[in-house]
Amino acid sequence: MRAGEPGAPTTVGGDVGELVVMWVGFPLLGAAVGGLLPLVADWVAGLPWAPVQGWFELVAGLPYRRALAGGVALGVLAGLFVAFVGTRERLIVTVDRAGARLRRDGVDRDLARRTVTAVFADRKELVLLDPAGAELARERSDLSPRRLRDAFREHGWPWQDTDPHRDAFRRWVAGLPDLPPGADPLLRVRQRAVEADRQREARELRGELARLGVVVRDEGRRQYWRTVPLPREENPDGR
């Protein structure tokens, strides 16, 4: 979505079509799946390994019309819940010549243009770097890399086609001697979070590692890392 005036902010994400898919498509899909519930409830209730068998037995014992209405209603509610979560978790990026705003979960994060020296898409993640190569932001989304590129370039941002520091990353294995003090235990904990798909915890630990001067990127369940110089006031040696 783009404002019509020259130099006006450009927004990527939050399109009407996307909202229609979530708030109409998901409830309709849920209704369709819920409508199948009375047809399969008796069969599922007879499977010895099926979970919550008592619930399926209850549905199978209801009159068909009542079970159908209940299944459709539950499906619609489930679809609305998925749409609500999806709406809050989607990333919306607004860019102009002075700065960029990243909005997720109702929280805005503002980045000034003067603090950013590189912007790029790392697969499904939008990344912004500072002059030292540290990550100012790494946000996962399904936004089009082409639309992001066009938006940032339109307003004079330093969009890069690839990560300028990609060759500096090394794969993490436990016990590496070159990591800053305290980084290896955090990477161990984060590895467990990545393997368990605990995204919020993995993101928080990424922030903790950044305070130690460690930049982390993931490829599947594998972690890769590189180091950046800490600001003088954060350097534990004071140098």
Side-chain angles (χ1 to χ4, degrees), residues 87-104:
T87 300
R88 286 190 59 85
E89 291 186 350
R90 64 185 178 150
L91 178 67
I92 301 176
V93 181
T94 304
V95 190
D96 61 22
R97 290 196 173 274
R101 171 166 293 176
L102 312 181
R103 183 177 182 84
R104 189 194 296 275

Side-chain angles (χ1 to χ4, degrees), residues 6-160:
T10 302
T11 299
V12 182
D15 298 342
V16 173
E18 181 184 353
L19 292 173
V20 169
V21 169
M22 286 192 291
W23 287 99
V24 177
F26 287 165
L28 287 176
L29 179 61
V33 173
L36 296 175
L37 184 61
L39 301 177
V40 300
D42 190 54
W43 174 69
V44 174
L47 298 175
W49 48 266
V52 292
Q53 277 187 310
W55 190 80
F56 282 101
E57 290 173 356
L58 176 63
V59 174
L62 292 174
Y64 176 76
R65 289 186 178 180
R66 185 179 300 177
L68 177 63
V72 169
L74 286 174
V76 170
L77 290 175
L80 290 172
F81 176 75
V82 172
F84 171 76
V85 173
T87 300
R88 286 190 59 85
E89 291 186 350
R90 64 185 178 150
L91 178 67
I92 301 176
V93 181
T94 304
V95 190
D96 61 22
R97 290 196 173 274
R101 171 166 293 176
L102 312 181
R103 183 177 182 84
R104 189 194 296 275
D105 284 343
V107 177
D108 291 335
R109 183 176 182 187
D110 294 316
L111 298 171
R113 165 66 183 87
R114 65 179 182 276
T115 66
V116 178
T117 56
V119 189
F120 58 93
D122 185 6
R123 293 164 298 169
K124 287 185 172 295
E125 294 177 321
L126 174 65
V127 184
L128 292 88
L129 303 181
D130 71 7
E135 290 182 351
L136 295 169
R138 178 180 282 268
E139 294 288 348
R140 185 173 183 83
S141 77
D142 292 321
L143 297 176
S144 164
R146 178 187 59 79
R147 293 183 61 201
L148 288 169
R149 178 200 65 197
D150 292 347
F152 279 100
R153 283 184 173 175
E154 177 185 356
H155 295 285
W157 287 65
W159 180 270
Q160 306 290 324

Side-chain angles (χ1 to χ4, degrees), residues 138-216:
R138 178 180 282 268
E139 294 288 348
R140 185 173 183 83
S141 77
D142 292 321
L143 297 176
S144 164
R146 178 187 59 79
R147 293 183 61 201
L148 288 169
R149 178 200 65 197
D150 292 347
F152 279 100
R153 283 184 173 175
E154 177 185 356
H155 295 285
W157 287 65
W159 180 270
Q160 306 290 324
D161 291 330
T162 60
D163 183 349
H165 300 282
R166 185 177 181 86
D167 292 340
F169 282 94
R170 299 167 54 187
R171 183 174 177 181
W172 174 78
V173 293
L176 283 174
D178 298 333
L179 283 163
D184 192 63
L186 288 174
L187 283 164
R188 290 173 188 261
V189 176
R190 189 175 185 278
Q191 181 65 40
R192 292 194 290 270
V194 169
E195 291 174 351
D197 199 28
R198 298 195 297 269
Q199 297 182 14
R200 187 178 298 273
E201 181 181 356
R203 183 174 178 174
E204 291 174 354
L205 290 167
R206 182 194 300 278
E208 294 297 323
L209 287 160
R211 294 185 179 93
L212 299 178
V214 178
V215 178
V216 185

